[in-house]
Amino acid sequence: LSNRWANAALVALSALAMLMMILLVIRTIEAERSQREQAQATGAVVDELRDISRASLNAETGQRGYLLTLDRRYLTPYFAGRDQLEPSLRELRALLGPRADRRQLELLRRVELLSRAKFAELERSVELVERGELIEARRLVLTDEGQTAMDRLRLALRDLERIELAILANAVGNAERAEERVMPLLGGLLALLAISMIAA
């Protein structure tokens, strides 16, 4: 009877060791999958943030060139940036919206507000030049309203990118820790399983 109970206990112990091994492998796979998904999400968000920054910079460059030369060819990057802005803002909101915390949502609203304010200022100056009001257009540029909006926009974009990269770094750290834990634990569980089988 005692041998029977001992064998039953060893079988139960072996089954428990197998179950723990399976759970460890599943947790490691989940951590790695989470890291891959976060890497894709972060990459997409960072791409949109940089597209918004590039669109604003290109539009500003085109506006300044047009203001200085009165050559409409300089408006090509302005129009390209203007056309790119709203799609990039929509895509950024779609990427961040479902998983963003309060700080990210605040920065997202700031990016939307500042980028639209920047483009509104650029559009006003371009319209003034097209109407022949060069002095007024240059006075608008010299108010530094556009530069202030651009500086604040860059800061908000940088803060959002920093948060995304920190989230990715955390996911990478979780996956690395899961991998580091799984090997020694698997070794111990295999040893326990072997002992159980030998004893049985």
Side-chain angles (χ1 to χ4, degrees):
L1 185 62
S2 60
N3 284 340
R4 190 178 301 165
W5 278 109
N7 287 338
L10 287 171
V11 168
L13 191 60
S14 300
L16 181 61
M18 290 290 291
L19 179 61
M20 290 179 68
M21 287 171 61
I22 292 168
L23 290 175
L24 279 171
V25 171
I26 289 172
R27 287 185 63 182
T28 304
I29 291 170
E30 286 176 349
E32 290 174 347
R33 185 177 66 240
S34 177
Q35 176 199 336
R36 287 193 299 272
E37 290 172 354
Q38 186 58 55
Q40 290 176 345
T42 295
V45 168
V46 169
D47 284 345
E48 293 304 330
L49 292 172
R50 291 177 181 172
D51 283 348
I52 292 166
S53 178
R54 195 162 34 246
S56 303
L57 185 59
N58 288 343
E60 185 177 58
T61 301
Q63 174 247 21
R64 296 293 167 89
Y66 181 51
L67 186 60
L68 290 171
T69 65
L70 305 183
D71 186 343
R72 287 191 62 83
R73 288 178 300 175
Y74 281 88
L75 288 177
T76 300
Y78 163 76
F79 290 127
R82 186 189 65 181
D83 293 343
Q84 182 184 0
L85 178 68
E86 288 301 327
S88 290
L89 288 175
R90 283 195 299 273
E91 183 63 21
L92 181 62
R93 179 165 281 281
L95 289 167
L96 282 178
R99 60 184 182 82
D101 61 19
R102 191 183 337 182
R103 175 64 176 156
Q104 287 171 297
L105 288 174
E106 177 189 331
L107 285 168
L108 175 59
R109 284 191 293 270
R110 192 177 302 172
V111 165
E112 291 170 337
L113 180 65
L114 291 170
S115 57
R116 286 168 180 152
K118 176 62 183 174
F119 273 83
E121 179 264 335
L122 293 174
E123 187 175 0
R124 283 199 306 274
S125 64
V126 168
E127 288 174 352
L128 286 170
V129 173
E130 288 179 337
R131 293 203 303 262
E133 300 178 33
L134 298 180
I135 294 174
E136 189 60 32
R138 288 178 178 142
R139 184 180 294 124
L140 177 62
V141 171
L142 291 173
T143 61
D144 280 341
E145 175 187 338
Q147 188 59 48
T148 300
M150 192 67 175
D151 289 343
R152 293 173 63 198
L153 175 60
R154 283 196 189 102
L155 183 61
L157 290 168
R158 189 165 58 245
D159 286 348
L160 260 178
E161 183 172 339
R162 190 180 297 122
I163 290 171
E164 274 301 309
L165 293 176
I167 293 170
L168 176 57
N170 185 58
V172 170
N174 287 341
E176 288 175 350
R177 284 189 293 274
E179 289 171 1
E180 289 168 1
R181 281 195 304 263
V182 77
M183 294 312 295
L185 287 173
L186 277 176
L189 289 171
L190 282 171
L192 178 62
L193 187 59
I195 293 168
S196 301
M197 291 175 68
I198 290 168

